[in-house]
Amino acid sequence: MDESTVTRGEPYPRCVSTPVVEPVVLLFGGYRLDIPVATDLEDVDAALADPDVALWNPAAHRPGIVPRDRARLWISDRAAWGDDHASWVVRDHDGRVVGAVSVHHLDHAMATGEIGYWLSPAGRGRGLGLAAVVLATRFGFDVLELARIELFHAVENEASCRLALRAGYLHEGTARQSFVYGDGQRHDEHLHARLATDPEPEITLPG
Ligand SMILES: CC(C)(COP(=O)(O)OP(=O)(O)OC[C@H]1O[C@@H](n2cnc3c(N)ncnc32)[C@H](O)[C@@H]1OP(=O)(O)O)[C@@H](O)C(=O)NCCC(=O)NCCS
């Protein structure tokens, strides 16, 4: 990666710092936002290999390591909350991992963070992405005491844009050629954000 490449969305560094809060599991219906464990390897490996996740969540991918190790590192990084991120997997009724959400790039002096997410094909279209973003956002405001959370997506990613708007993240503008996605190309991105003082979106959590 050359120096001109935007580093936002880089894999979170292995946690050596003290977590800002201890990891917390969030339950909704029969689902949970949970801490990933080693036995999630197969599900995480398959999800990271999904073409849409590989394209729109390139931070999950690390050059030079085999996919299985990439998934292993992903699990250990996300499980080890630091003072820079709080991360969860979305666990289906049967315990399988079908998604992920994280509030990261935490800046406690500024009380800001950024949210990122993906759903595996089996998890999509059930309101789980929306639920995960709304619950993680609430955690960011109520527990991490953030004042503002930003959300970026490639302009072409209409599903992510729809989710962002439904989750109450206002569209604030377009950042030009701001991020290199999984196709190796720079893309324009929408910047969305929510403030702690914005109204909570009215959604029905999946059961
Ligand atoms: C984008 C993504 C997270 C959506 O997750 P999801 O769980 O399927 O979304 P939900 O079921 O919670 O739907 C949320 C909203 O987005 C809309 N939506 C979901 N998929 C859509 C699609 N393919 N096209 C248009 N709108 C879509 C839903 O209709 C819903 O809006 P509504 O309530 O007004 O109907 C998921 O498709 C995904 O992970 N894609 C690949 C990776 C990715 O894009 N990651 C995000 C990077 S910024």
Side-chain angles (χ1 to χ4, degrees):
M1 191 169 282
D2 66 56
E3 286 183 354
S4 67
T5 304
V6 177
T7 56
R8 178 172 55 71
E10 280 287 275
Y12 319 129
R14 305 298 296 278
C15 178
V16 289
S17 53
T18 310
V20 64
V21 291
E22 291 302 319
V24 172
V25 176
L26 304 173
L27 307 177
F28 59 105
Y31 300 98
R32 35 172 56 203
L33 295 191
D34 204 358
I35 311 307
V37 292
T39 49
D40 294 325
L41 184 65
E42 191 186 322
D43 292 339
V44 171
D45 190 21
L48 297 185
D50 171 69
D52 291 321
V53 174
L55 175 59
W56 299 128
N57 299 85
H61 294 263
R62 297 181 180 202
I65 59 170
V66 297
R68 206 84 175 157
D69 288 342
R70 174 185 73 199
R72 240 179 235 110
L73 280 171
W74 188 96
I75 289 170
S76 58
D77 287 353
R78 299 295 176 109
W81 287 23
D83 63 4
D84 62 339
H85 76 99
S87 305
W88 298 266
V89 289
V90 182
R91 217 175 272 291
D92 207 340
H93 290 225
D94 61 2
R96 302 295 293 261
V97 169
V98 291
V101 63
S102 72
V103 184
H104 51 267
H105 294 153
L106 298 176
D107 182 330
H108 300 289
M110 285 289 164
T112 57
E114 183 180 327
I115 196 160
Y117 46 86
W118 51 254
L119 270 290
S120 62
R124 289 178 200 153
R126 295 197 259 157
L128 290 175
L130 178 60
V133 168
V134 166
L135 291 175
T137 300
R138 196 177 295 163
F139 185 89
F141 292 142
D142 293 351
V143 180
L144 302 178
E145 299 183 340
L146 301 177
R148 172 183 168 89
I149 303 176
E150 298 186 335
L151 184 163
F152 290 87
H153 66 81
V155 166
E156 300 90 336
N157 191 347
E158 289 175 20
S160 191
C161 191
R162 183 72 208 146
L163 187 158
L165 293 170
R166 287 281 286 113
Y169 280 78
L170 296 186
H171 179 216
E172 295 187 339
T174 300
R176 294 177 304 149
Q177 301 284 293
S178 49
F179 196 72
V180 178
Y181 277 91
D183 57 2
Q185 304 297 310
R186 304 194 75 89
H187 289 254
D188 292 351
E189 293 181 294
H190 283 175
L191 163 62
H192 297 248
R194 251 185 80 182
L195 304 182
T197 49
D198 284 342
E200 186 73 18
E202 288 183 19
I203 71 159
T204 304
L205 293 172

